[in-house]
Coordinates of all heavy atoms in Angstrom, one line a residue:
G27 N 56.9 80.3 -52.3 CA 58.3 80.6 -51.8 C 59.3 79.5 -52.1 O 59.6 79.2 -53.2
D60 N 51.2 86.4 -49.1 CA 52.0 86.4 -47.9 C 52.5 87.8 -47.5 O 53.1 87.9 -46.5 CB 53.3 85.5 -48.1 CG 53.0 84.1 -48.1 OD1 51.9 83.7 -48.2 OD2 54.0 83.3 -47.9
D72 N 57.4 85.7 -50.6 CA 57.5 84.7 -51.6 C 58.3 85.2 -52.8 O 59.1 84.6 -53.4 CB 56.1 84.2 -52.0 CG 55.6 83.2 -51.0 OD1 56.3 82.9 -50.1 OD2 54.4 82.7 -51.2
S232 N 49.7 79.2 -51.3 CA 50.5 79.7 -52.3 C 49.8 79.7 -53.7 O 49.2 80.7 -54.1 CB 51.9 79.0 -52.4 OG 52.7 79.2 -51.3
Ligands
CA3 CA1 54.9 81.6 -48.8

Side-chain angles (χ1 to χ4, degrees):
D60 282 21
D72 285 356
S232 293

